[in-house]
Amino acid sequence: DIQLTQSPATLSASIGDRVTLTCRASQSVDEWLAWYQQKPGKAPKLLIYKASNVQRGVTSRFSGRGSGTEFTLTISSLQPDDFANYYCQQYRHSPWTFGPGTKVEI
Amino acid sequence: QVHLQESGPGLVKPSGTLSLTCSVSGGSVNSYYWTWIRQTPGKGPEWIGTIRFSGDTNYNPSLKRRVSISLDKSDNHFSLKLTSLTAADTAIYFCGRSPLGDYVDYWGQGTLVAVSS
């Protein structure tokens, strides 16, 4: 199985900060990577698919980059609603796998 | 707007079978792919398996001997069966829609299943 690692595990930031989260894959997944946001007690919400495509209805403050084994999710200007857990998922090689997450906190 | 809702027992005995249903509204299970994912607190989600509108399935090998996903087009829902349960199967179970059997763009709210005697 492809292992995904995310860094940092926890990110402390302030409103208005530009933050970048990283996801690394144990082998190439090309651009077949998605990012999700999850708040406590809720289902994950799709933010980005195919590494850099913003899901319809998601604010343009979120952007994704990368290919192969290294990917980033950037929030351009952190807002109160953005404090949450963020997970990456690869869908290049079955079984699809998720990373352990990055918690963005104040 | 597609809406998904999981239903099923919240408590199942060890060695028993878990049966969950995901009811779909605002869309038809006769298209797209339909997925089950689970998550234990504080961990990343775990993909269980996906069924295509044609009935073709793809399961996580770690669960393959115990899992079955089926589709009911007449009632517009899909279902999960997981057998030989242990405490390690205690988790929140989510159903979702996958555009091409890949990522999940619509999710159910999730249902907590505890395996305990």
Side-chain angles (χ1 to χ4, degrees), chain B residues 84-96:
Chain B
S84 304
L85 295 172
T86 71
D89 295 309
T90 294
I92 298 171
Y93 286 74
F94 296 98
C95 61

Side-chain angles (χ1 to χ4, degrees), chain B residues 4-102:
Chain B
L4 299 96
Q5 178 70 57
E6 304 88 351
S7 59
L11 180 65
V12 191
K13 292 191 183 328
S15 78
T17 296
L18 168 66
S19 296
L20 295 176
T21 294
C22 182
S23 300
V24 179
S25 58
S28 171
V29 299
N30 206 21
S31 57
Y32 294 103
Y33 293 69
W34 305 93
T35 290
W36 286 98
I37 284 169
R38 68 182 184 181
Q39 186 176 30
T40 52
K43 291 193 170 182
E46 177 185 26
W47 173 71
I48 298 172
T50 297
I51 187 165
R52 192 177 183 226
F53 60 89
S54 60
D56 295 336
T57 53
N58 184 20
Y59 299 131
N60 192 324
S62 68
L63 299 169
K64 192 170 186 176
R65 285 180 297 176
R66 301 194 290 130
V67 69
S68 173
I69 297 175
S70 58
L71 208 53
D72 186 330
K73 294 180 181 179
S74 62
D75 205 27
N76 212 42
H77 72 252
F78 62 107
S79 300
L80 169 71
K81 273 190 168 49
L82 187 64
T83 63
S84 304
L85 295 172
T86 71
D89 295 309
T90 294
I92 298 171
Y93 286 74
F94 296 98
C95 61
R97 188 187 84 167
S98 297
L100 291 172
D102 34 35

Side-chain angles (χ1 to χ4, degrees), chain A residues 1 34 36 38 41-46 49-50 55-56 87 89 91 94-96 98-100, chain B residues 37 39 42-47 50 58-61 94 101-109:
Chain A
D1 298 3
Y36 300 87
Q38 187 178 32
K42 300 291 187 182
K45 173 187 175 182
L46 178 66
Y49 62 94
K50 206 179 177 188
Q55 171 68 357
R56 185 170 45 201
Y87 297 98
Q89 178 221 340
Y91 48 98
S94 185
W96 314 146
F98 290 81
Chain B
I37 284 169
Q39 186 176 30
K43 291 193 170 182
E46 177 185 26
W47 173 71
T50 297
N58 184 20
Y59 299 131
N60 192 324
F94 296 98
D102 34 35
Y103 55 86
V104 176
D105 60 354
Y106 288 97
W107 294 71
Q109 66 184 24

Side-chain angles (χ1 to χ4, degrees), chain A residues 2-43:
Chain A
I2 291 184
Q3 307 300 316
L4 298 179
T5 56
Q6 292 186 242
S7 59
T10 303
L11 190 157
S12 297
S14 301
I15 302 298
D17 284 353
R18 178 183 179 90
V19 300
T20 297
L21 287 58
T22 299
C23 175
R24 291 186 174 89
S26 58
Q27 64 184 82
S28 175
V29 299
D30 299 322
E31 293 184 322
W32 305 113
L33 189 109
W35 288 94
Y36 300 87
Q37 176 193 69
Q38 187 178 32
K39 297 181 180 179
K42 300 291 187 182

